[in-house]
Amino acid sequence: MATVLDTIEFNEEGFMTDPNAWTKEIAEVIAKGEGIENLAENHWIIIDFCRKTGEETGKAPTLRQITTGTGISTKELFALYPKGPAKKVAKISGLGKPEGCV
Amino acid sequence: MTEKKNRHIAFICSKGDLDMAYPALIMGWAALGNGVDVTIFFTFWGLDMITKDRCNKLEMAPVSKTSMKMKMMGLPTGNLGIPNILGIIPGMTAFTSWFLKKEMKKLGVPPIKEYIEMLSDGGAKLYGCKMTVDMFNIKKEDFLPQVNDVVTASDFIDMTEGAEIVFI
């Protein structure tokens, strides 16, 4: 079955290699693969923040940068992206693995 | 399909020095971010990290910190450490603690109390050591509200079956 991911390249850890190839449809498909069936409004607030940070710095933001930058609490961030939000959010946003530690 | 048991890392925090408080918090936070379960057991001086009126007052004395070189403060002193004799001057511990906090802040590292809140919100389980609590006459209400319980060493061993254990 053809999907929007067919033409997209991923590295061995599952992160997109070209952030510019990212689209919202791709995000939705990757999210499903990560166990998130529907991306709600607050999911998108986080993704938009990550995309903006990615464009400005070339890097995926850390979890703390996400919570301070979006005003979404740590609790909600972990509820929206359960079991490993750091990698999940970066993957869904089409960015590389976050490099910061906090 | 059998469910695979999630990876679980348990940290034992036994130190109350500012520089020794951070490793478990940083590693624990990284673990939560990667979907790993985290349990932290605070014992002996490590209890300072979860004690309301101590957690943001942790310090680092320059004496014995052999890796702390004066060049970190921008002095052209190469590999020269802070002479231990200077370390005993009143205010030196406050100075080195202030310096470390300043450098951490530059990297966006939160203070201990906020870190404990983040870890708890991210799902980490935090426990105080019963024996130390009894020994130092600490009460449960002295601890930050994020502390799940005060438990015995045996309880900790039970609840961390199969976990990777890191002693700090």
Side-chain angles (χ1 to χ4, degrees), chain A residues 63-64 74-75 78 83-87 101-102, chain B residues 29 32-35 108 110 114-115 118 121-122:
Chain A
L63 292 182
R64 187 165 157 80
T74 303
K75 249 184 199 160
F78 275 81
K83 292 200 175 263
K87 282 187 180 175
C101 291
V102 194
Chain B
W29 181 244
L32 291 174
N34 285 7
E114 204 179 327
Y115 232 133
M118 279 160 51
D121 286 349

Coordinates of all heavy atoms in Angstrom, one line a residue, chain A residues 63-64 74-75 78 83-87 101-102, chain B residues 29 32-35 108 110 114-115 118 121-122:
Chain A
L63 N 12.7 18.8 25.8 CA 11.4 18.8 26.4 C 11.2 20.0 27.2 O 10.1 20.6 27.2 CB 11.3 17.5 27.3 CG 11.2 16.2 26.6 CD1 11.0 15.1 27.7 CD2 10.1 16.1 25.6
R64 N 12.2 20.5 27.9 CA 12.0 21.7 28.7 C 11.8 22.9 27.9 O 11.1 23.8 28.2 CB 13.2 21.9 29.7 CG 13.0 23.0 30.6 CD 14.0 22.9 31.8 NE 14.2 24.2 32.4 CZ 13.3 24.8 33.2 NH1 12.3 24.1 33.6 NH2 13.5 26.0 33.7
T74 N 4.5 19.8 31.8 CA 5.2 18.6 31.7 C 4.3 17.4 31.7 O 4.3 16.5 30.9 CB 6.3 18.4 32.8 OG1 7.1 19.6 32.8 CG2 7.1 17.2 32.7
K75 N 3.3 17.5 32.6 CA 2.3 16.4 32.8 C 1.5 16.2 31.5 O 1.4 15.1 31.0 CB 1.3 16.8 33.9 CG 1.5 15.9 35.1 CD 0.4 16.2 36.1 CE 0.9 15.7 37.4 NZ 0.2 16.2 38.6
F78 N 3.7 14.7 28.6 CA 3.8 13.3 28.7 C 2.5 12.5 28.5 O 2.5 11.3 28.1 CB 4.4 12.9 30.1 CG 5.9 13.0 30.2 CD1 6.5 14.2 30.4 CD2 6.7 11.8 30.1 CE1 7.9 14.3 30.4 CE2 8.1 11.9 30.1 CZ 8.7 13.1 30.3
K83 N 5.2 7.6 26.8 CA 6.3 6.7 26.6 C 7.4 7.3 25.7 O 7.6 6.8 24.6 CB 5.8 5.3 26.1 CG 5.0 4.6 27.2 CD 4.9 3.1 26.9 CE 4.2 2.4 28.0 NZ 5.1 1.8 29.0
G84 N 8.0 8.3 26.2 CA 9.2 8.8 25.4 C 8.8 10.0 24.5 O 9.0 9.9 23.3
P85 N 8.3 11.1 25.1 CA 8.0 12.3 24.3 C 9.2 12.9 23.6 O 9.0 13.4 22.5 CB 7.4 13.2 25.3 CG 7.9 12.8 26.7 CD 8.1 11.3 26.6
A86 N 10.4 12.8 24.1 CA 11.5 13.5 23.5 C 11.7 13.0 22.1 O 11.7 13.8 21.1 CB 12.8 13.3 24.3
K87 N 11.8 11.7 21.9 CA 12.1 11.2 20.6 C 10.8 11.2 19.7 O 10.9 11.5 18.5 CB 12.5 9.7 20.7 CG 13.9 9.5 21.1 CD 14.3 8.0 21.0 CE 15.7 7.8 21.4 NZ 16.0 6.3 21.4
C101 N 20.2 18.1 26.8 CA 20.0 17.1 27.9 C 18.8 17.4 28.8 O 18.3 16.6 29.6 CB 21.2 16.9 28.8 SG 22.5 16.1 27.9
V102 N 18.3 18.6 28.7 CA 17.2 19.0 29.6 C 15.9 19.3 28.9 O 14.9 19.1 29.4 CB 17.6 20.3 30.4 CG1 16.7 20.5 31.6 CG2 19.0 20.2 30.9
Chain B
W29 N 15.6 12.3 33.8 CA 14.8 13.1 32.9 C 15.0 12.6 31.4 O 14.1 12.5 30.7 CB 15.2 14.6 33.0 CG 14.4 15.5 32.1 CD1 14.9 16.3 31.1 CD2 13.0 15.8 32.2 NE1 13.9 17.1 30.6 CE2 12.8 16.8 31.2 CE3 12.0 15.3 33.0 CZ2 11.5 17.3 30.9 CZ3 10.7 15.8 32.7 CH2 10.4 16.8 31.7
L32 N 13.1 9.3 31.1 CA 11.7 9.6 30.9 C 11.4 10.0 29.4 O 10.4 9.5 28.8 CB 11.1 10.6 31.9 CG 11.1 10.2 33.3 CD1 10.7 11.5 34.2 CD2 10.2 9.1 33.6
G33 N 12.2 10.9 28.9 CA 12.0 11.4 27.6 C 12.1 10.3 26.5 O 11.6 10.4 25.5
N34 N 12.9 9.3 26.9 CA 13.0 8.1 25.9 C 12.1 7.0 26.3 O 12.3 5.9 25.8 CB 14.5 7.6 26.0 CG 15.4 8.6 25.2 OD1 15.0 9.6 24.8 ND2 16.6 8.2 25.0
G35 N 11.1 7.2 27.2 CA 10.1 6.2 27.4 C 10.6 5.1 28.4 O 10.0 4.0 28.4
G108 N 20.2 26.3 30.7 CA 18.8 26.1 30.8 C 18.4 25.0 31.8 O 17.3 24.4 31.8
P110 N 17.2 23.6 35.2 CA 16.4 24.2 36.3 C 17.0 23.9 37.6 O 17.8 23.0 37.8 CB 15.1 23.5 36.1 CG 15.4 22.2 35.4 CD 16.6 22.5 34.6
E114 N 12.6 22.4 41.0 CA 11.8 22.4 39.7 C 12.1 21.1 39.0 O 11.2 20.5 38.3 CB 12.3 23.6 38.9 CG 11.2 24.0 37.8 CD 11.7 25.2 37.0 OE1 12.4 26.0 37.6 OE2 11.3 25.2 35.8
Y115 N 13.3 20.6 39.1 CA 13.7 19.3 38.4 C 12.9 18.2 39.0 O 12.4 17.3 38.3 CB 15.2 19.1 38.6 CG 16.0 18.8 37.4 CD1 17.2 19.4 37.1 CD2 15.5 17.9 36.4 CE1 17.9 19.2 35.9 CE2 16.2 17.6 35.3 CZ 17.4 18.3 35.0 OH 18.1 18.0 33.9
M118 N 9.5 18.3 37.7 CA 9.5 17.8 36.3 C 9.5 16.3 36.2 O 8.8 15.7 35.5 CB 10.7 18.4 35.5 CG 10.6 19.8 35.0 SD 12.2 20.6 34.6 CE 13.0 19.3 33.6
D121 N 6.2 14.9 37.4 CA 5.2 15.1 36.3 C 5.4 14.2 35.2 O 4.5 13.8 34.5 CB 5.2 16.6 35.9 CG 4.6 17.5 36.9 OD1 4.0 17.0 37.9 OD2 4.8 18.8 36.7
G122 N 6.7 13.9 34.9 CA 7.0 13.0 33.8 C 6.8 11.5 34.1 O 7.0 10.6 33.3

